[in-house]
PDB file of all heavy atoms in Angstrom:
ATOM      1  N   TYR U1386       1.726  22.181  10.999  1.00 72.00           N
ATOM      2  CA  TYR U1386       2.244  23.409  11.609  1.00 72.00           C
ATOM      3  C   TYR U1386       1.625  24.642  10.953  1.00 72.00           C
ATOM      4  O   TYR U1386       1.287  25.636  11.624  1.00 72.00           O
ATOM      5  CB  TYR U1386       3.767  23.433  11.473  1.00 72.00           C
ATOM      6  CG  TYR U1386       4.398  24.723  11.937  1.00 72.00           C
ATOM      7  CD1 TYR U1386       4.550  24.996  13.291  1.00 72.00           C
ATOM      8  CD2 TYR U1386       4.833  25.676  11.012  1.00 72.00           C
ATOM      9  CE1 TYR U1386       5.131  26.185  13.716  1.00 72.00           C
ATOM     10  CE2 TYR U1386       5.401  26.864  11.424  1.00 72.00           C
ATOM     11  CZ  TYR U1386       5.558  27.117  12.777  1.00 72.00           C
ATOM     12  OH  TYR U1386       6.111  28.299  13.205  1.00 72.00           O
ATOM     13  N   ALA U1387       1.464  24.579   9.634  1.00 70.00           N
ATOM     14  CA  ALA U1387       0.865  25.717   8.919  1.00 70.00           C
ATOM     15  C   ALA U1387      -0.577  25.942   9.352  1.00 70.00           C
ATOM     16  O   ALA U1387      -1.064  27.079   9.354  1.00 70.00           O
ATOM     17  CB  ALA U1387       0.942  25.484   7.414  1.00 70.00           C
ATOM     18  N   LEU U1388      -1.267  24.864   9.745  1.00 77.00           N
ATOM     19  CA  LEU U1388      -2.653  24.983  10.199  1.00 77.00           C
ATOM     20  C   LEU U1388      -2.742  25.304  11.687  1.00 77.00           C
ATOM     21  O   LEU U1388      -3.852  25.409  12.232  1.00 77.00           O
ATOM     22  CB  LEU U1388      -3.403  23.685   9.902  1.00 77.00           C
ATOM     23  CG  LEU U1388      -3.560  23.327   8.417  1.00 77.00           C
ATOM     24  CD1 LEU U1388      -4.188  21.941   8.277  1.00 77.00           C
ATOM     25  CD2 LEU U1388      -4.410  24.378   7.706  1.00 77.00           C
ATOM     26  N   GLY U1389      -1.578  25.405  12.341  1.00 71.00           N
ATOM     27  CA  GLY U1389      -1.585  25.727  13.763  1.00 71.00           C
ATOM     28  C   GLY U1389      -1.806  24.537  14.663  1.00 71.00           C
ATOM     29  O   GLY U1389      -2.043  24.716  15.861  1.00 71.00           O
ATOM     30  N   GLU U1390      -1.741  23.343  14.120  1.00 78.00           N
ATOM     31  CA  GLU U1390      -1.982  22.151  14.936  1.00 78.00           C
ATOM     32  C   GLU U1390      -0.731  21.677  15.663  1.00 78.00           C
ATOM     33  O   GLU U1390      -0.825  20.965  16.668  1.00 78.00           O
ATOM     34  CB  GLU U1390      -2.513  21.020  14.042  1.00 78.00           C
ATOM     35  CG  GLU U1390      -3.850  21.362  13.372  1.00 78.00           C
ATOM     36  CD  GLU U1390      -4.280  20.277  12.403  1.00 78.00           C
ATOM     37  OE1 GLU U1390      -3.518  19.302  12.231  1.00 78.00           O
ATOM     38  OE2 GLU U1390      -5.370  20.411  11.809  1.00 78.00           O
ATOM     39  N   LEU U1391       0.460  22.004  15.156  1.00 79.00           N
ATOM     40  CA  LEU U1391       1.716  21.601  15.761  1.00 79.00           C
ATOM     41  C   LEU U1391       2.639  22.802  15.829  1.00 79.00           C
ATOM     42  O   LEU U1391       2.456  23.803  15.130  1.00 79.00           O
ATOM     43  CB  LEU U1391       2.384  20.481  14.944  1.00 79.00           C
ATOM     44  CG  LEU U1391       1.653  19.136  14.883  1.00 79.00           C
ATOM     45  CD1 LEU U1391       2.373  18.192  13.926  1.00 79.00           C
ATOM     46  CD2 LEU U1391       1.561  18.508  16.272  1.00 79.00           C
ATOM     47  N   GLY U1392       3.664  22.683  16.686  1.00 73.00           N
ATOM     48  CA  GLY U1392       4.624  23.754  16.813  1.00 73.00           C
ATOM     49  C   GLY U1392       5.851  23.518  15.950  1.00 73.00           C
ATOM     50  O   GLY U1392       6.034  22.463  15.338  1.00 73.00           O
ATOM     51  N   LEU U1393       6.714  24.541  15.906  1.00 74.00           N
ATOM     52  CA  LEU U1393       7.929  24.441  15.096  1.00 74.00           C
ATOM     53  C   LEU U1393       8.848  23.336  15.595  1.00 74.00           C
ATOM     54  O   LEU U1393       9.545  22.687  14.795  1.00 74.00           O
ATOM     55  CB  LEU U1393       8.663  25.791  15.112  1.00 74.00           C
ATOM     56  CG  LEU U1393       9.959  25.855  14.297  1.00 74.00           C
ATOM     57  CD1 LEU U1393       9.689  25.569  12.831  1.00 74.00           C
ATOM     58  CD2 LEU U1393      10.651  27.203  14.482  1.00 74.00           C
ATOM     59  N   VAL U1394       8.841  23.081  16.892  1.00 78.00           N
ATOM     60  CA  VAL U1394       9.699  22.021  17.435  1.00 78.00           C
ATOM     61  C   VAL U1394       9.336  20.665  16.828  1.00 78.00           C
ATOM     62  O   VAL U1394      10.211  19.857  16.498  1.00 78.00           O
ATOM     63  CB  VAL U1394       9.593  21.973  18.966  1.00 78.00           C
ATOM     64  CG1 VAL U1394      10.372  20.785  19.522  1.00 78.00           C
ATOM     65  CG2 VAL U1394      10.110  23.277  19.573  1.00 78.00           C
ATOM     66  N   ASP U1395       8.035  20.430  16.648  1.00 82.00           N
ATOM     67  CA  ASP U1395       7.612  19.165  16.028  1.00 82.00           C
ATOM     68  C   ASP U1395       8.101  19.067  14.583  1.00 82.00           C
ATOM     69  O   ASP U1395       8.517  18.009  14.120  1.00 82.00           O
ATOM     70  CB  ASP U1395       6.083  19.059  16.073  1.00 82.00           C
ATOM     71  CG  ASP U1395       5.561  19.033  17.497  1.00 82.00           C
ATOM     72  OD1 ASP U1395       6.163  18.313  18.320  1.00 82.00           O
ATOM     73  OD2 ASP U1395       4.567  19.730  17.770  1.00 82.00           O
ATOM     74  N   VAL U1396       8.052  20.199  13.890  1.00 78.00           N
ATOM     75  CA  VAL U1396       8.508  20.203  12.498  1.00 78.00           C
ATOM     76  C   VAL U1396      10.009  19.906  12.430  1.00 78.00           C
ATOM     77  O   VAL U1396      10.469  19.096  11.614  1.00 78.00           O
ATOM     78  CB  VAL U1396       8.197  21.556  11.839  1.00 78.00           C
ATOM     79  CG1 VAL U1396       8.770  21.605  10.423  1.00 78.00           C
ATOM     80  CG2 VAL U1396       6.708  21.803  11.805  1.00 78.00           C
ATOM     81  N   LEU U1397      10.766  20.558  13.326  1.00 83.00           N
ATOM     82  CA  LEU U1397      12.214  20.341  13.303  1.00 83.00           C
ATOM     83  C   LEU U1397      12.566  18.899  13.650  1.00 83.00           C
ATOM     84  O   LEU U1397      13.497  18.324  13.075  1.00 83.00           O
ATOM     85  CB  LEU U1397      12.889  21.307  14.276  1.00 83.00           C
ATOM     86  CG  LEU U1397      12.709  22.803  13.963  1.00 83.00           C
ATOM     87  CD1 LEU U1397      13.444  23.647  14.989  1.00 83.00           C
ATOM     88  CD2 LEU U1397      13.179  23.121  12.560  1.00 83.00           C
ATOM     89  N   ALA U1398      11.829  18.312  14.595  1.00 85.00           N
ATOM     90  CA  ALA U1398      12.090  16.914  14.956  1.00 85.00           C
ATOM     91  C   ALA U1398      11.816  15.986  13.780  1.00 85.00           C
ATOM     92  O   ALA U1398      12.575  15.043  13.510  1.00 85.00           O
ATOM     93  CB  ALA U1398      11.238  16.514  16.158  1.00 85.00           C
ATOM     94  N   ALA U1399      10.728  16.266  13.066  1.00 87.00           N
ATOM     95  CA  ALA U1399      10.411  15.443  11.903  1.00 87.00           C
ATOM     96  C   ALA U1399      11.477  15.588  10.826  1.00 87.00           C
ATOM     97  O   ALA U1399      11.846  14.625  10.152  1.00 87.00           O
ATOM     98  CB  ALA U1399       9.037  15.830  11.356  1.00 87.00           C
ATOM     99  N   ARG U1400      12.009  16.806  10.656  1.00 84.00           N
ATOM    100  CA  ARG U1400      13.026  17.023   9.649  1.00 84.00           C
ATOM    101  C   ARG U1400      14.352  16.370  10.037  1.00 84.00           C
ATOM    102  O   ARG U1400      15.092  15.901   9.188  1.00 84.00           O
ATOM    103  CB  ARG U1400      13.204  18.517   9.413  1.00 84.00           C
ATOM    104  CG  ARG U1400      12.151  19.076   8.478  1.00 84.00           C
ATOM    105  CD  ARG U1400      12.180  18.295   7.187  1.00 84.00           C
ATOM    106  NE  ARG U1400      10.978  18.506   6.375  1.00 84.00           N
ATOM    107  CZ  ARG U1400      10.712  17.823   5.292  1.00 84.00           C
ATOM    108  NH1 ARG U1400      11.518  16.856   4.914  1.00 84.00           N
ATOM    109  NH2 ARG U1400       9.612  18.056   4.606  1.00 84.00           N
ATOM    110  N   ARG U1401      14.686  16.361  11.318  1.00 86.00           N
ATOM    111  CA  ARG U1401      15.903  15.660  11.747  1.00 86.00           C
ATOM    112  C   ARG U1401      15.797  14.169  11.452  1.00 86.00           C
ATOM    113  O   ARG U1401      16.772  13.523  11.050  1.00 86.00           O
ATOM    114  CB  ARG U1401      16.149  15.904  13.233  1.00 86.00           C
ATOM    115  CG  ARG U1401      16.534  17.331  13.581  1.00 86.00           C
ATOM    116  CD  ARG U1401      17.030  17.428  15.012  1.00 86.00           C
ATOM    117  NE  ARG U1401      17.179  18.823  15.422  1.00 86.00           N
ATOM    118  CZ  ARG U1401      16.283  19.498  16.111  1.00 86.00           C
ATOM    119  NH1 ARG U1401      15.153  18.899  16.484  1.00 86.00           N
ATOM    120  NH2 ARG U1401      16.496  20.760  16.453  1.00 86.00           N
ATOM    121  N   LEU U1402      14.587  13.637  11.665  1.00 90.00           N
ATOM    122  CA  LEU U1402      14.381  12.221  11.338  1.00 90.00           C
ATOM    123  C   LEU U1402      14.542  11.988   9.836  1.00 90.00           C
ATOM    124  O   LEU U1402      15.129  10.978   9.414  1.00 90.00           O
ATOM    125  CB  LEU U1402      12.988  11.784  11.796  1.00 90.00           C
ATOM    126  CG  LEU U1402      12.593  10.337  11.466  1.00 90.00           C
ATOM    127  CD1 LEU U1402      13.571   9.354  12.130  1.00 90.00           C
ATOM    128  CD2 LEU U1402      11.165  10.053  11.901  1.00 90.00           C
ATOM    129  N   ALA U1403      14.066  12.923   9.022  1.00 89.00           N
ATOM    130  CA  ALA U1403      14.221  12.794   7.568  1.00 89.00           C
ATOM    131  C   ALA U1403      15.696  12.865   7.174  1.00 89.00           C
ATOM    132  O   ALA U1403      16.164  12.132   6.294  1.00 89.00           O
ATOM    133  CB  ALA U1403      13.416  13.878   6.861  1.00 89.00           C
ATOM    134  N   GLU U1404      16.449  13.758   7.832  1.00 88.00           N
ATOM    135  CA  GLU U1404      17.877  13.848   7.551  1.00 88.00           C
ATOM    136  C   GLU U1404      18.588  12.548   7.895  1.00 88.00           C
ATOM    137  O   GLU U1404      19.408  12.024   7.114  1.00 88.00           O
ATOM    138  CB  GLU U1404      18.492  14.990   8.360  1.00 88.00           C
ATOM    139  CG  GLU U1404      18.063  16.373   7.931  1.00 88.00           C
ATOM    140  CD  GLU U1404      18.658  17.437   8.821  1.00 88.00           C
ATOM    141  OE1 GLU U1404      19.494  17.080   9.699  1.00 88.00           O
ATOM    142  OE2 GLU U1404      18.322  18.618   8.660  1.00 88.00           O
ATOM    143  N   ASP U1405      18.312  12.025   9.080  1.00 90.00           N
ATOM    144  CA  ASP U1405      18.955  10.775   9.497  1.00 90.00           C
ATOM    145  C   ASP U1405      18.569   9.622   8.577  1.00 90.00           C
ATOM    146  O   ASP U1405      19.395   8.739   8.284  1.00 90.00           O
ATOM    147  CB  ASP U1405      18.572  10.446  10.944  1.00 90.00           C
ATOM    148  CG  ASP U1405      19.150  11.451  11.937  1.00 90.00           C
ATOM    149  OD1 ASP U1405      20.127  12.134  11.568  1.00 90.00           O
ATOM    150  OD2 ASP U1405      18.622  11.551  13.065  1.00 90.00           O
ATOM    151  N   SER U1406      17.327   9.612   8.116  1.00 92.00           N
ATOM    152  CA  SER U1406      16.894   8.552   7.198  1.00 92.00           C
ATOM    153  C   SER U1406      17.632   8.652   5.862  1.00 92.00           C
ATOM    154  O   SER U1406      17.991   7.638   5.254  1.00 92.00           O
ATOM    155  CB  SER U1406      15.378   8.633   6.977  1.00 92.00           C
ATOM    156  OG  SER U1406      14.680   8.389   8.178  1.00 92.00           O
ATOM    157  N   ALA U1407      17.859   9.894   5.403  1.00 91.00           N
ATOM    158  CA  ALA U1407      18.608  10.073   4.156  1.00 91.00           C
ATOM    159  C   ALA U1407      20.038   9.577   4.309  1.00 91.00           C
ATOM    160  O   ALA U1407      20.591   8.909   3.411  1.00 91.00           O
ATOM    161  CB  ALA U1407      18.602  11.538   3.741  1.00 91.00           C
ATOM    162  N   LEU U1408      20.651   9.863   5.461  1.00 92.00           N
ATOM    163  CA  LEU U1408      22.016   9.391   5.696  1.00 92.00           C
ATOM    164  C   LEU U1408      22.058   7.869   5.807  1.00 92.00           C
ATOM    165  O   LEU U1408      22.962   7.215   5.273  1.00 92.00           O
ATOM    166  CB  LEU U1408      22.560  10.028   6.976  1.00 92.00           C
ATOM    167  CG  LEU U1408      24.012   9.690   7.331  1.00 92.00           C
ATOM    168  CD1 LEU U1408      24.960  10.170   6.247  1.00 92.00           C
ATOM    169  CD2 LEU U1408      24.384  10.297   8.683  1.00 92.00           C
ATOM    170  N   ALA U1409      21.079   7.297   6.480  1.00 94.00           N
ATOM    171  CA  ALA U1409      21.037   5.843   6.623  1.00 94.00           C
ATOM    172  C   ALA U1409      20.829   5.159   5.276  1.00 94.00           C
ATOM    173  O   ALA U1409      21.412   4.106   4.994  1.00 94.00           O
ATOM    174  CB  ALA U1409      19.925   5.443   7.595  1.00 94.00           C
ATOM    175  N   GLU U1410      19.986   5.760   4.420  1.00 94.00           N
ATOM    176  CA  GLU U1410      19.778   5.177   3.083  1.00 94.00           C
ATOM    177  C   GLU U1410      21.055   5.240   2.256  1.00 94.00           C
ATOM    178  O   GLU U1410      21.393   4.312   1.513  1.00 94.00           O
ATOM    179  CB  GLU U1410      18.653   5.941   2.386  1.00 94.00           C
ATOM    180  CG  GLU U1410      18.182   5.322   1.075  1.00 94.00           C
ATOM    181  CD  GLU U1410      18.951   5.848  -0.115  1.00 94.00           C
ATOM    182  OE1 GLU U1410      19.535   6.948  -0.002  1.00 94.00           O
ATOM    183  OE2 GLU U1410      18.980   5.157  -1.158  1.00 94.00           O
ATOM    184  N   GLN U1411      21.800   6.334   2.404  1.00 93.00           N
ATOM    185  CA  GLN U1411      23.064   6.466   1.682  1.00 93.00           C
ATOM    186  C   GLN U1411      24.060   5.410   2.142  1.00 93.00           C
ATOM    187  O   GLN U1411      24.763   4.792   1.341  1.00 93.00           O
ATOM    188  CB  GLN U1411      23.614   7.875   1.923  1.00 93.00           C
ATOM    189  CG  GLN U1411      24.940   8.157   1.238  1.00 93.00           C
ATOM    190  CD  GLN U1411      25.369   9.579   1.488  1.00 93.00           C
ATOM    191  OE1 GLN U1411      25.024  10.483   0.747  1.00 93.00           O
ATOM    192  NE2 GLN U1411      26.134   9.795   2.542  1.00 93.00           N
ATOM    193  N   ARG U1412      24.132   5.188   3.445  1.00 93.00           N
ATOM    194  CA  ARG U1412      25.037   4.156   3.970  1.00 93.00           C
ATOM    195  C   ARG U1412      24.602   2.770   3.516  1.00 93.00           C
ATOM    196  O   ARG U1412      25.447   1.919   3.198  1.00 93.00           O
ATOM    197  CB  ARG U1412      25.070   4.230   5.494  1.00 93.00           C
ATOM    198  CG  ARG U1412      25.786   5.461   6.030  1.00 93.00           C
ATOM    199  CD  ARG U1412      25.654   5.576   7.531  1.00 93.00           C
ATOM    200  NE  ARG U1412      26.398   6.701   8.068  1.00 93.00           N
ATOM    201  CZ  ARG U1412      26.289   7.143   9.313  1.00 93.00           C
ATOM    202  NH1 ARG U1412      25.439   6.558  10.152  1.00 93.00           N
ATOM    203  NH2 ARG U1412      27.021   8.177   9.721  1.00 93.00           N
ATOM    204  N   ALA U1413      23.312   2.531   3.507  1.00 95.00           N
ATOM    205  CA  ALA U1413      22.820   1.230   3.057  1.00 95.00           C
ATOM    206  C   ALA U1413      23.159   0.988   1.590  1.00 95.00           C
ATOM    207  O   ALA U1413      23.473  -0.140   1.187  1.00 95.00           O
ATOM    208  CB  ALA U1413      21.313   1.131   3.279  1.00 95.00           C
ATOM    209  N   LEU U1414      23.109   2.049   0.778  1.00 95.00           N
ATOM    210  CA  LEU U1414      23.477   1.913  -0.631  1.00 95.00           C
ATOM    211  C   LEU U1414      24.941   1.506  -0.765  1.00 95.00           C
ATOM    212  O   LEU U1414      25.291   0.602  -1.537  1.00 95.00           O
ATOM    213  CB  LEU U1414      23.214   3.230  -1.354  1.00 95.00           C
ATOM    214  CG  LEU U1414      23.529   3.258  -2.852  1.00 95.00           C
ATOM    215  CD1 LEU U1414      22.481   4.039  -3.613  1.00 95.00           C
ATOM    216  CD2 LEU U1414      24.908   3.877  -3.098  1.00 95.00           C
ATOM    217  N   LEU U1415      25.822   2.163   0.018  1.00 95.00           N
ATOM    218  CA  LEU U1415      27.238   1.819  -0.043  1.00 95.00           C
ATOM    219  C   LEU U1415      27.490   0.412   0.493  1.00 95.00           C
ATOM    220  O   LEU U1415      28.342  -0.323  -0.014  1.00 95.00           O
ATOM    221  CB  LEU U1415      28.045   2.842   0.743  1.00 95.00           C
ATOM    222  CG  LEU U1415      28.302   4.164   0.013  1.00 95.00           C
ATOM    223  CD1 LEU U1415      28.761   5.237   0.974  1.00 95.00           C
ATOM    224  CD2 LEU U1415      29.316   3.967  -1.088  1.00 95.00           C
ATOM    225  N   ASP U1416      26.745   0.021   1.532  1.00 95.00           N
ATOM    226  CA  ASP U1416      26.872  -1.347   2.042  1.00 95.00           C
ATOM    227  C   ASP U1416      26.505  -2.368   0.975  1.00 95.00           C
ATOM    228  O   ASP U1416      27.175  -3.405   0.830  1.00 95.00           O
ATOM    229  CB  ASP U1416      25.975  -1.531   3.271  1.00 95.00           C
ATOM    230  CG  ASP U1416      26.473  -0.761   4.480  1.00 95.00           C
ATOM    231  OD1 ASP U1416      27.645  -0.345   4.468  1.00 95.00           O
ATOM    232  OD2 ASP U1416      25.691  -0.577   5.424  1.00 95.00           O
ATOM    233  N   ALA U1417      25.459  -2.087   0.216  1.00 96.00           N
ATOM    234  CA  ALA U1417      25.024  -3.014  -0.827  1.00 96.00           C
ATOM    235  C   ALA U1417      26.054  -3.093  -1.953  1.00 96.00           C
ATOM    236  O   ALA U1417      26.347  -4.173  -2.468  1.00 96.00           O
ATOM    237  CB  ALA U1417      23.665  -2.584  -1.378  1.00 96.00           C
ATOM    238  N   ILE U1418      26.619  -1.944  -2.331  1.00 95.00           N
ATOM    239  CA  ILE U1418      27.649  -1.936  -3.377  1.00 95.00           C
ATOM    240  C   ILE U1418      28.870  -2.737  -2.916  1.00 95.00           C
ATOM    241  O   ILE U1418      29.436  -3.539  -3.659  1.00 95.00           O
ATOM    242  CB  ILE U1418      28.037  -0.495  -3.742  1.00 95.00           C
ATOM    243  CG1 ILE U1418      26.860   0.219  -4.406  1.00 95.00           C
ATOM    244  CG2 ILE U1418      29.255  -0.482  -4.645  1.00 95.00           C
ATOM    245  CD1 ILE U1418      27.113   1.689  -4.666  1.00 95.00           C
ATOM    246  N   GLU U1419      29.287  -2.498  -1.671  1.00 95.00           N
ATOM    247  CA  GLU U1419      30.454  -3.221  -1.146  1.00 95.00           C
ATOM    248  C   GLU U1419      30.194  -4.722  -1.092  1.00 95.00           C
ATOM    249  O   GLU U1419      31.064  -5.532  -1.440  1.00 95.00           O
ATOM    250  CB  GLU U1419      30.808  -2.704   0.250  1.00 95.00           C
ATOM    251  CG  GLU U1419      32.007  -3.424   0.855  1.00 95.00           C
ATOM    252  CD  GLU U1419      32.282  -3.014   2.286  1.00 95.00           C
ATOM    253  OE1 GLU U1419      31.385  -2.421   2.925  1.00 95.00           O
ATOM    254  OE2 GLU U1419      33.383  -3.293   2.782  1.00 95.00           O
ATOM    255  N   ALA U1420      29.001  -5.123  -0.653  1.00 96.00           N
ATOM    256  CA  ALA U1420      28.700  -6.543  -0.508  1.00 96.00           C
ATOM    257  C   ALA U1420      28.715  -7.262  -1.855  1.00 96.00           C
ATOM    258  O   ALA U1420      29.257  -8.369  -1.985  1.00 96.00           O
ATOM    259  CB  ALA U1420      27.351  -6.724   0.180  1.00 96.00           C
ATOM    260  N   VAL U1421      28.128  -6.635  -2.876  1.00 95.00           N
ATOM    261  CA  VAL U1421      28.119  -7.249  -4.208  1.00 95.00           C
ATOM    262  C   VAL U1421      29.531  -7.299  -4.776  1.00 95.00           C
ATOM    263  O   VAL U1421      29.953  -8.317  -5.353  1.00 95.00           O
ATOM    264  CB  VAL U1421      27.175  -6.479  -5.144  1.00 95.00           C
ATOM    265  CG1 VAL U1421      27.321  -6.979  -6.581  1.00 95.00           C
ATOM    266  CG2 VAL U1421      25.731  -6.641  -4.685  1.00 95.00           C
ATOM    267  N   THR U1422      30.283  -6.218  -4.606  1.00 94.00           N
ATOM    268  CA  THR U1422      31.660  -6.201  -5.111  1.00 94.00           C
ATOM    269  C   THR U1422      32.516  -7.220  -4.386  1.00 94.00           C
ATOM    270  O   THR U1422      33.406  -7.843  -4.989  1.00 94.00           O
ATOM    271  CB  THR U1422      32.261  -4.796  -4.954  1.00 94.00           C
ATOM    272  OG1 THR U1422      31.387  -3.833  -5.531  1.00 94.00           O
ATOM    273  CG2 THR U1422      33.610  -4.715  -5.627  1.00 94.00           C
ATOM    274  N   ARG U1423      32.266  -7.424  -3.105  1.00 95.00           N
ATOM    275  CA  ARG U1423      33.030  -8.429  -2.356  1.00 95.00           C
ATOM    276  C   ARG U1423      32.821  -9.820  -2.951  1.00 95.00           C
ATOM    277  O   ARG U1423      33.773 -10.606  -3.088  1.00 95.00           O
ATOM    278  CB  ARG U1423      32.601  -8.398  -0.886  1.00 95.00           C
ATOM    279  CG  ARG U1423      33.158  -9.529  -0.028  1.00 95.00           C
ATOM    280  CD  ARG U1423      34.666  -9.508   0.082  1.00 95.00           C
ATOM    281  NE  ARG U1423      35.127 -10.667   0.846  1.00 95.00           N
ATOM    282  CZ  ARG U1423      35.233 -10.708   2.169  1.00 95.00           C
ATOM    283  NH1 ARG U1423      34.901  -9.650   2.897  1.00 95.00           N
ATOM    284  NH2 ARG U1423      35.667 -11.800   2.772  1.00 95.00           N
ATOM    285  N   VAL U1424      31.594 -10.137  -3.313  1.00 96.00           N
ATOM    286  CA  VAL U1424      31.335 -11.424  -3.957  1.00 96.00           C
ATOM    287  C   VAL U1424      32.109 -11.514  -5.273  1.00 96.00           C
ATOM    288  O   VAL U1424      32.738 -12.541  -5.581  1.00 96.00           O
ATOM    289  CB  VAL U1424      29.825 -11.618  -4.195  1.00 96.00           C
ATOM    290  CG1 VAL U1424      29.567 -12.875  -5.013  1.00 96.00           C
ATOM    291  CG2 VAL U1424      29.085 -11.700  -2.865  1.00 96.00           C
ATOM    292  N   GLN U1425      32.089 -10.460  -6.054  1.00 94.00           N
ATOM    293  CA  GLN U1425      32.777 -10.472  -7.343  1.00 94.00           C
ATOM    294  C   GLN U1425      34.288 -10.562  -7.169  1.00 94.00           C
ATOM    295  O   GLN U1425      34.977 -11.215  -7.960  1.00 94.00           O
ATOM    296  CB  GLN U1425      32.397  -9.219  -8.130  1.00 94.00           C
ATOM    297  CG  GLN U1425      30.925  -9.176  -8.516  1.00 94.00           C
ATOM    298  CD  GLN U1425      30.513  -7.838  -9.096  1.00 94.00           C
ATOM    299  OE1 GLN U1425      31.162  -6.816  -8.860  1.00 94.00           O
ATOM    300  NE2 GLN U1425      29.432  -7.830  -9.853  1.00 94.00           N
ATOM    301  N   VAL U1426      34.820  -9.914  -6.142  1.00 95.00           N
ATOM    302  CA  VAL U1426      36.258 -10.014  -5.870  1.00 95.00           C
ATOM    303  C   VAL U1426      36.615 -11.430  -5.446  1.00 95.00           C
ATOM    304  O   VAL U1426      37.604 -12.012  -5.915  1.00 95.00           O
ATOM    305  CB  VAL U1426      36.668  -8.991  -4.796  1.00 95.00           C
ATOM    306  CG1 VAL U1426      38.079  -9.271  -4.295  1.00 95.00           C
ATOM    307  CG2 VAL U1426      36.594  -7.575  -5.346  1.00 95.00           C
ATOM    308  N   ASP U1427      35.818 -12.012  -4.551  1.00 95.00           N
ATOM    309  CA  ASP U1427      36.094 -13.375  -4.101  1.00 95.00           C
ATOM    310  C   ASP U1427      35.968 -14.377  -5.239  1.00 95.00           C
ATOM    311  O   ASP U1427      36.649 -15.410  -5.236  1.00 95.00           O
ATOM    312  CB  ASP U1427      35.146 -13.763  -2.962  1.00 95.00           C
ATOM    313  CG  ASP U1427      35.524 -13.100  -1.644  1.00 95.00           C
ATOM    314  OD1 ASP U1427      36.591 -12.465  -1.593  1.00 95.00           O
ATOM    315  OD2 ASP U1427      34.748 -13.202  -0.677  1.00 95.00           O
ATOM    316  N   ALA U1428      35.109 -14.085  -6.207  1.00 94.00           N
ATOM    317  CA  ALA U1428      34.952 -14.967  -7.365  1.00 94.00           C
ATOM    318  C   ALA U1428      35.947 -14.635  -8.476  1.00 94.00           C
ATOM    319  O   ALA U1428      35.909 -15.262  -9.539  1.00 94.00           O
ATOM    320  CB  ALA U1428      33.530 -14.862  -7.911  1.00 94.00           C
ATOM    321  N   HIS U1429      36.843 -13.643  -8.222  1.00 93.00           N
ATOM    322  CA  HIS U1429      37.875 -13.256  -9.188  1.00 93.00           C
ATOM    323  C   HIS U1429      37.265 -12.744 -10.495  1.00 93.00           C
ATOM    324  O   HIS U1429      37.830 -12.937 -11.569  1.00 93.00           O
ATOM    325  CB  HIS U1429      38.834 -14.416  -9.462  1.00 93.00           C
ATOM    326  CG  HIS U1429      39.575 -14.874  -8.246  1.00 93.00           C
ATOM    327  ND1 HIS U1429      38.988 -15.656  -7.274  1.00 93.00           N
ATOM    328  CD2 HIS U1429      40.843 -14.664  -7.835  1.00 93.00           C
ATOM    329  CE1 HIS U1429      39.860 -15.898  -6.308  1.00 93.00           C
ATOM    330  NE2 HIS U1429      40.991 -15.303  -6.628  1.00 93.00           N
ATOM    331  N   GLU U1430      36.113 -12.101 -10.383  1.00 92.00           N
ATOM    332  CA  GLU U1430      35.484 -11.486 -11.539  1.00 92.00           C
ATOM    333  C   GLU U1430      35.952 -10.049 -11.734  1.00 92.00           C
ATOM    334  O   GLU U1430      35.860  -9.514 -12.834  1.00 92.00           O
ATOM    335  CB  GLU U1430      33.960 -11.518 -11.382  1.00 92.00           C
ATOM    336  CG  GLU U1430      33.349 -12.901 -11.542  1.00 92.00           C
ATOM    337  CD  GLU U1430      33.456 -13.424 -12.964  1.00 92.00           C
ATOM    338  OE1 GLU U1430      32.977 -12.746 -13.882  1.00 92.00           O
ATOM    339  OE2 GLU U1430      34.048 -14.500 -13.152  1.00 92.00           O
TER     340      GLU U1430
END
């Protein structure tokens, strides 16, 4: 965009994808924590 090859709309779309990816990574982290803790709870650890 700075070089004039793309418009601001393209930049905003790319940033929305980055935002959604950050949220998805955060959810995946919590899913992994829950899954490991579930095993430990079931094993009475």
Side-chain angles (χ1 to χ4, degrees):
Y1386 174 77
L1388 296 174
E1390 298 175 358
L1391 295 174
L1393 180 60
V1394 174
D1395 298 316
V1396 175
L1397 298 181
R1400 279 304 164 188
R1401 291 191 190 97
L1402 177 60
E1404 291 177 6
D1405 293 339
S1406 296
L1408 183 62
E1410 189 270 338
Q1411 180 178 271
R1412 289 173 177 169
L1414 181 140
L1415 281 164
D1416 290 344
I1418 293 174
E1419 180 186 17
V1421 171
T1422 308
R1423 171 63 184 273
V1424 173
Q1425 295 171 338
V1426 168
D1427 285 353
H1429 299 77
E1430 288 292 304

